[in-house]
């Protein structure tokens, strides 16, 4: 295996793999590092209905697999199960990227495409019951809870989409949100609230998750009346926001107050040769179509950056 690359892309989600298609086609020697599964967050999604061109929808798995194959077709080397553990400038314009397993590679330019991960609910019971009824992935765990009531916490796109998916299995979906309305896309909200299995619980927060070995219920406080209600459910699905995976590079790039990487429209960070794209960054929306565009832009910017360096 080689140790010197033109481009190392950290993260094999849609952003990283889209970038790899373009760097590969530009004949730049490309390595993609993916510490988990290719496709990132979308790999486990049951259905993608809004990616233009897929009129009949596509599963997350199929989507991820097609992105991987496309990147590989143009020569990108994709190391699956290998994470980047450090990124450091060498002082000559190149970068040293440390890999899990104590290996390292050198890159003329790096694309940061590490995405983000779900925020945890800081209440008693969350840690203890995580994996035993507490979940952040309806597609992964929803089928375990057939014909029983479950709770969904949150009110954005993820909460509403995943909550709607859970209606396939659960007897009812108790949808707990701290505001008096959801903030997801209108069409998603409409579909969700029209489902008779969905029971919205507005202006409320979960205070505790109960159960010894498995979830038995939640304590929910109404923020207007301050009353606490015990709701029996067999699972709690939490979708309350995101934490960017920017820890690795926090000394190298500028971050906003939420830890998202700041980039310009060319996907440049403040460090020459270090580009960032997709859900890791401050973006107007977090959807496949625009993170793919980000990845493409980062790749094209790198092509120009390396060309300019030559002359
Ligand atoms: C449940 C769900 C449903 C969604 N549905 C839709 C939809 O229908 N339509 C739509 O347009 N969008 C949807 N989205 C949003 C979309 O999935 C994201 O915008 C997109 O996945 C972001 O891509 P990304 O590559 O930037 O980040 P991610 O998908 O987060 O991928 C980042 C990758 O980087 C890897 N990584 C992180 N750190 C390292 C490291 N140090 N070394 C190596 N690898 C690393 C991670 O393992 C991950 O695979 C959905 C999201 C979720 C969670």
């Amino acid at each position: 295996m080689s140790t010197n690359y033109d481009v190392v892309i950290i993260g094999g989600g849609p952003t990283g793999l889209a970038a790899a298609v373009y760097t590969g086609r530009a004949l730049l020697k490309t390595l993609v590092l993916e510490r988990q599964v290719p496709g990132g967050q979308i790999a486990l999604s049951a259905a993608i209905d809004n990616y233009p061109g897929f009129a009949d929808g596509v599963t997350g798995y199929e989507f991820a697999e097609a992105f991987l194959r496309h990147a590989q077709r143009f020569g990108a080397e994709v190391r699956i199960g290998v994470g980047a553990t450090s990124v450091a400038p060498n002082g000559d314009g190149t970068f040293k990227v440390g890999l899990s397993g104590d290996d390292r590679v050198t890159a003329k330019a790096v694309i940061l495409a590490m995405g983000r991960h779900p925020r945890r609910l800081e209440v008693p019971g969350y840690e203890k019951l995580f994996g035993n009824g507490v979940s952040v992935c309806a597609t992964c765990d929803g089928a375990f809870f057939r014909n029983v009531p479950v709770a969904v916490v949150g009110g954005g796109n993820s909460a509403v989409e995943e909550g709607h998916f859970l209606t396939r299995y659960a007897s009812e979906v108790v949808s707990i949100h701290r505001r008096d309305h959801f903030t997801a896309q209108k069409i998603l909200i409409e579909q969700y609230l029209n489902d008779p299995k969905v029971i919205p619980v507005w202006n409320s927060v979960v205070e505790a998750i109960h159960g010894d070995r498995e979830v038995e219920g939640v304590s929910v406080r109404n923020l207007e009346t301050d009353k606490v209600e015990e709701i029996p459910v067999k699972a709690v699905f939490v979708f309350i926001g995101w934490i960017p995976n920017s820890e690795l590079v926090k000394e190298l790039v500028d971050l906003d107050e939420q830890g998202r990487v700041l980039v310009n429209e060319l996907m440049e960070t403040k460090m020459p040769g270090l580009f960032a794209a997709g859900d890791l960054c401050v973006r107007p929306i977090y959807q496949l179509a625009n993170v793919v565009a980000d990845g493409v832009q980062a790749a094209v910017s790198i092509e120009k950056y390396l060309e300019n360096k030559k002359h």
Side-chain angles (χ1 to χ4, degrees):
M1 256 184 253
S2 177
T3 54
N4 293 311
Y5 293 87
D6 293 318
V7 187
V8 169
I9 299 172
I10 306 177
T15 304
L17 292 173
V21 170
Y22 274 66
T23 55
R25 278 195 91 221
L27 303 181
L28 297 172
K29 191 171 168 193
T30 300
L31 172 66
V32 181
L33 299 170
E34 172 47 59
R35 66 180 176 189
Q36 291 173 331
V37 289
Q41 295 163 50
I42 206 64
L44 294 174
S45 175
I48 304 164
D49 258 347
N50 57 2
Y51 193 76
F54 289 81
D56 300 320
V58 59
T59 67
Y61 175 80
E62 287 166 340
F63 189 83
E65 207 269 332
F67 267 55
L68 174 64
R69 242 178 338 109
H70 202 167
Q72 288 173 326
R73 187 177 139 219
F74 290 114
E77 178 186 333
V78 184
R79 294 199 204 169
I80 297 168
V82 180
T85 52
S86 62
V87 182
N90 282 322
D92 61 356
T94 65
F95 293 87
K96 200 181 331 184
V97 181
L99 312 184
S100 52
D102 238 12
D103 222 346
R104 68 165 67 152
V105 291
T106 301
K108 291 180 187 160
V110 172
I111 299 179
L112 306 169
M114 290 95 78
R116 54 188 189 164
H117 64 274
R119 187 178 294 283
R120 310 169 82 82
L121 194 60
E122 303 291 342
V123 300
Y126 182 93
E127 290 293 341
K128 186 172 84 170
L129 293 164
F130 196 89
N132 287 312
V134 174
S135 172
V136 292
C137 178
T139 318
C140 318
D141 299 328
F144 296 126
F145 302 97
R146 286 170 197 265
N147 304 317
V148 292
V150 302
V152 166
V153 185
N157 279 338
S158 294
V160 166
E161 262 185 288
E162 299 272 297
H164 199 199
F165 176 79
L166 287 167
T167 60
R168 293 185 193 188
Y169 305 108
S171 56
E172 52 191 40
V173 175
V174 180
S175 201
I176 302 159
H177 187 39
R178 64 193 158 90
R179 302 189 194 194
D180 63 0
H181 61 279
F182 294 129
T183 52
Q185 287 167 13
K186 277 201 179 111
I187 181 166
L188 298 177
I189 298 174
E190 204 176 294
Q191 288 165 350
Y192 191 47
L193 291 178
N194 278 338
D195 192 306
K197 284 191 181 176
V198 175
I199 304 170
V201 179
W202 305 115
N203 302 309
S204 297
V205 292
V206 171
E207 286 208 324
I209 302 172
H210 304 295
D212 193 12
R213 294 187 169 193
E214 54 189 41
V215 172
E216 281 159 17
V218 283
S219 298
V220 176
R221 178 179 297 279
N222 184 301
L223 296 171
E224 290 193 324
T225 63
D226 219 29
K227 274 196 184 144
V228 177
E229 190 188 352
E230 306 295 328
I231 306 180
V233 289
K234 287 301 203 180
V236 183
F237 290 85
V238 179
F239 309 102
I240 53 166
W242 298 93
I243 300 174
N245 298 322
S246 56
E247 186 68 21
L248 190 67
V249 291
K250 64 177 187 205
E251 310 296 344
L252 300 180
V253 300
D254 284 331
L255 304 177
D256 77 348
E257 68 292 344
Q258 295 173 37
R260 299 177 297 179
V261 175
L262 297 175
V263 284
N264 64 15
E265 73 273 18
L266 299 178
M267 302 296 133
E268 294 167 324
T269 68
K270 71 173 181 189
M271 178 168 284
L274 192 55
F275 296 75
D279 274 15
L280 175 70
C281 303
V282 179
R283 310 310 294 145
I285 53 165
Y286 294 88
Q287 287 285 283
L288 292 164
N290 71 299
V291 301
V292 164
D294 274 7
V296 169
Q297 179 61 64
V300 173
S301 296
I302 282 190
E303 211 184 326
K304 290 199 177 127
Y305 166 78
L306 293 178
E307 203 52 44
N308 287 342
K309 266 183 94 179
K310 263 197 223 158
H311 303 299

